[in-house]
Amino acid sequence: AQSVAQPEDQVNVAEGNPLTVKCTYSVSGNPYLFWYVQYPNRGLQFLLKYITGDNLVKGSYGFEAEFNKSQTSFHLKKPSALVSDSALYFCAVRDFNSNSGYALNFGKGTSLLVTP
Amino acid sequence: NAGVTQTPKFQVLKTGQSMTLQCAQDMNHEYMSWYRQDPGMGLRLIHYSVGAGITDQGEVPNGYNVSRSTTEDFPLRLLSAAPSQTSVYFCASSRKWSGGTQETQYFGPGTRLLVL
């Protein structure tokens, strides 16, 4: 089965510093990977995705993610964190099991707290 | 476009009561799905549909029914609510996966359900 893991429940970073939210994947074949963000009491918003091509993917709100096949990772990064980036971040992978209709399998989420 | 809409935003039920969570999308997406979000568990797939008249079970379908009579609507029914169904429910939609292209899933704002 296709799965992702987010090893950190929470990440704390000071405003202006670079941030990284980690994600590793376990798939057979080529992975289709996603990052979503959830602000308090809101739905999930799409940030970026990796399907194929360049290993560095740029997304919304200044976020980017680096696909690393040898390390089976897809870490989310931002050069300079903002307080408004504080939210819950989910990594997800497309499930190629046809019994799921090709749904997304989500990690457990990482809470990002950016302090002033 | 309104995107994916969900009603109600919040609901309190007593054990044994029934209710329907509404989901609608105006993007003409073939694929729709329901997830539940529980703390520390990410999002888990309940049911999904790849088109009008076609539905199937996801990872955690017990206690829930769905139907898809139109492309736009995908209601989720709780037949006899249980405290274990206390959760936040998200509806999502996308174009049908067509092998080689990967469509982004769009999420609704969620319904917060409390079963007493």
Side-chain angles (χ1 to χ4, degrees), chain A residues 32 36 38 49 99 101 108, chain B residues 31 37 40 48 97 102 105:
Chain A
Y32 287 1
Y36 282 83
Q38 183 181 30
K49 64 184 178 185
N99 291 332
K108 294 183 178 181
Chain B
Y31 182 87
Q37 181 183 23
Y48 67 92
W97 188 79
Q102 181 57 61
Q105 283 200 19

Side-chain angles (χ1 to χ4, degrees), chain A residues 37-49:
Chain A
V37 60
Q38 183 181 30
Y39 298 101
N41 299 314
R42 301 286 296 277
L44 276 71
Q45 297 180 27
F46 170 75
L47 280 178
L48 51 81
K49 64 184 178 185

